[in-house]
């Protein structure tokens, strides 16, 4: 099964560089306490259904200001929103046109914080059908 997930590879390549993001910071929805639970620099990896999309990911959440700093790969959709609620982080990527299916593709992500590790899934909707397109993990790293 060959699914292309670059919008979320993008997302969770969540290739965040807090020093000089190429795209604007994304507002994070959630209480300050929930933002603090996820604050910091996170690094991990994406395990996609399409092995060509596997790879590292990185993102940074700033507590209090409620921003997620990201750098997206060229041609990928931007992150629309991120929500933190308790031990759950979720969000969505801007829809993009996919030549393969000749349709708009919508991508979402979700993760749960368990024992200092985020474990999540990526889902994609094309033509009203949702597909699991990968899993991802990340740990907070000391800067």
């Amino acid at each position: 099964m060959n699914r292309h997930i670059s919008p979320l590879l993008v997302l969770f390549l969540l290739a965040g560089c807090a020093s000089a993001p190429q795209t604007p910071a994304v507002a994070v929805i959630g209480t300050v306490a929930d933002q603090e639970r996820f604050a910091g620099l996170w690094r991990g990896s994406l395990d996609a259904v399409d092995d060509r999309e596997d790879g590292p990911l990185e993102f940074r959440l700033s507590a209090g200001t409620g921003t997620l700093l990201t750098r997206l790969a060229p041609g990928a959709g931007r992150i629309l929103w991120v929500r933190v609620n308790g031990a759950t982080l979720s969000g969505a990527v801007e829809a993009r046109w996919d030549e393969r299916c000749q349709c708009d593709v919508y991508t979402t992500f979700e993760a749960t914080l368990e024992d200092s590790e985020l474990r999540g899934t990526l889902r994609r909707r094309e033509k009203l059908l949702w597909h699991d397109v990968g899993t991802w993990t990340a740990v907070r790293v000391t800067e």
Side-chain angles (χ1 to χ4, degrees):
M1 187 147 64
N2 185 6
R3 299 203 193 289
H4 191 276
I5 61 170
S6 65
L8 208 53
L9 175 59
V10 166
L11 163 63
F12 279 103
L13 282 177
L14 255 177
C17 281
S19 59
Q22 293 178 336
T23 58
V26 176
V28 176
I29 304 162
T31 66
V32 172
D34 286 341
Q35 291 175 28
E36 287 173 353
R37 184 174 289 113
F38 291 94
L41 177 62
W42 294 82
R43 288 191 180 131
S45 62
L46 171 66
D47 182 15
V49 171
D50 181 347
D51 290 339
R52 296 174 299 171
E53 301 293 339
D54 291 349
L57 61 91
E58 182 176 290
F59 67 96
R60 178 188 311 271
L61 179 76
S62 299
T65 61
T67 56
L68 181 73
L69 298 177
T70 64
R71 185 183 330 181
L72 303 180
R78 67 182 177 89
I79 300 169
L80 295 174
W81 57 268
V82 173
R83 178 183 314 259
V84 290
N85 184 10
T88 302
L89 177 141
S90 59
V93 177
E94 183 175 54
R96 68 171 177 82
W97 180 256
D98 186 324
E99 290 295 325
R100 187 183 48 79
C101 68
Q102 293 291 299
C103 64
D104 284 325
V105 173
Y106 303 88
T107 305
T108 62
F109 57 94
E110 185 169 299
T112 302
L113 182 59
E114 301 173 12
D115 301 324
S116 301
E117 181 180 43
L118 280 169
R119 295 183 189 122
T121 58
L122 307 175
R123 293 184 51 80
R124 172 175 124 154
R125 189 188 87 187
E126 57 183 61
K127 296 183 180 180
L128 302 177
L129 298 174
W130 284 96
H131 307 278
D132 291 332
V133 293
T135 59
W136 62 279
T137 59
V139 295
R140 191 177 357 239
V141 296
T142 305
E143 300 180 59

